Amino acid sequence: MQIGAHALVFTGTFDESGIRHAIERTKRAGFDLIEIPLMDPDAFDSGLAARVLADNELAVTASLGLTEQTDLSSEDPAIVAAGERTLERCLDHVATMGGEYLCGVIYSAMRKYQAPPSAAGIAHSAAALGRLADKARARGIHLALEVVNRYETNVINTARAGLGFLDQIANDNVSLHLDTYHMNIEESDQFSPVLDAGDRLGYVHIGESHRGYLGTGTVNFDELFRALARTGYDGPVVFESFSSAVVSPELSNTLGIWRNLWNDSDDLAAHANRFIRDHLRAVETLALH
Ligand code: MN
């Protein structure tokens, strides 16, 4: 199991100095991997990132949320095609960096919708993801669909809905990506969704209810980690936190990051690394009971 941090803990800009800073600080905080958001794939230099990752012996994953112009769940085939091109570009970046996962809101735009999804839009998204999953497999990459709350997509807001959508895609290179922040809003608890997903859970985000320091909000992390132990989850576990202290123009406004919940990225990250590893160690010993 690899423990990681989202790059936005350290930087909101992904030019050379931003990439270097995020990778070096993620390594220094004790993590195994960094998740890099590919919100602007045309501007991202994955060759440079690959060299800095190798220098720091850090693994990598990538994520993104699609936009209205690249929404795979659109009824407009031209927008769906634009989304597929964007995601294929991201797959190339992940392959260049030697990563094995592309995750996030890669099945619809990441935004508040004003209506439910249409059957045609869902069918477009499922078909496109099936094609992308095959292209990902050829590059040694898995896709994981992040279940997010109702203000960030209208397609999958619960694990159960996500599993139904996976059935529609019908491609075993696509799995579910659960996030405790979103689960805390939409699910009945932090335990059932993990058990329901079972071996179809491919990626986990660890975030607090207000997206600040772990352990200072209302997420029941004991339930979550016990469930991960119960199902034998072995995929990436990635810390996600956002503050107005570190801003990405594309991501921060979409996620509604208006408040400053921390100033010191290094302290936040080191604390999260300890918090996650301590919880994982504790539930590991449940096997002795
Ligand atoms: Mn997340």
Side-chain angles (χ1 to χ4, degrees), residues 6 35 63 104-105 146-148 152 177-182 203-207 211 238 240 242 255:
H6 192 283
E35 178 183 319
S63 61
V105 185
E146 184 168 13
V147 179
V148 297
E152 296 183 30
H177 167 183
L178 292 178
D179 178 321
T180 57
Y181 163 79
H182 298 290
Y203 204 93
V204 172
H205 270 168
I206 300 293
R211 309 200 102 152
V238 177
E240 209 174 33
F242 305 102
L255 299 177

Side-chain angles (χ1 to χ4, degrees), residues 63-67 87 103-111 113 144-148 152-153 177 182:
S63 61
L64 74 154
L66 296 171
T67 67
L87 287 167
C103 61
V105 185
I106 55 176
Y107 50 84
S108 78
M110 184 166 71
R111 69 176 182 93
Y113 284 82
L145 310 184
E146 184 168 13
V147 179
V148 297
E152 296 183 30
T153 188
H177 167 183
H182 298 290

Side-chain angles (χ1 to χ4, degrees), residues 134-241:
D134 289 336
K135 290 174 177 171
R137 185 186 283 109
R139 294 164 171 84
I141 299 167
H142 309 288
L143 300 182
L145 310 184
E146 184 168 13
V147 179
V148 297
N149 73 73
R150 67 189 73 186
Y151 308 108
E152 296 183 30
T153 188
N154 59 359
V155 175
I156 49 174
N157 300 137
T158 63
R160 192 166 292 163
L163 292 168
F165 190 48
L166 288 187
D167 288 341
Q168 197 168 343
I169 298 166
N171 187 306
D172 64 9
N173 197 35
V174 189
S175 57
L176 223 54
H177 167 183
L178 292 178
D179 178 321
T180 57
Y181 163 79
H182 298 290
M183 292 164 72
N184 189 57
I185 295 170
E186 302 288 0
E187 305 279 5
S188 56
D189 53 62
Q190 296 281 336
F191 196 85
S192 312
V194 175
L195 294 192
D196 289 346
D199 61 8
R200 292 200 284 174
L201 179 60
Y203 204 93
V204 172
H205 270 168
I206 300 293
E208 191 47 279
S209 52
H210 43 50
R211 309 200 102 152
Y213 268 75
L214 298 180
T216 65
T218 61
V219 170
N220 189 331
F221 287 110
D222 286 340
E223 282 186 359
L224 185 276
F225 284 104
R226 283 172 200 224
L228 294 179
R230 178 67 68 88
T231 59
Y233 176 78
D234 196 32
V237 175
V238 177
F239 172 56
E240 209 174 33
S241 180

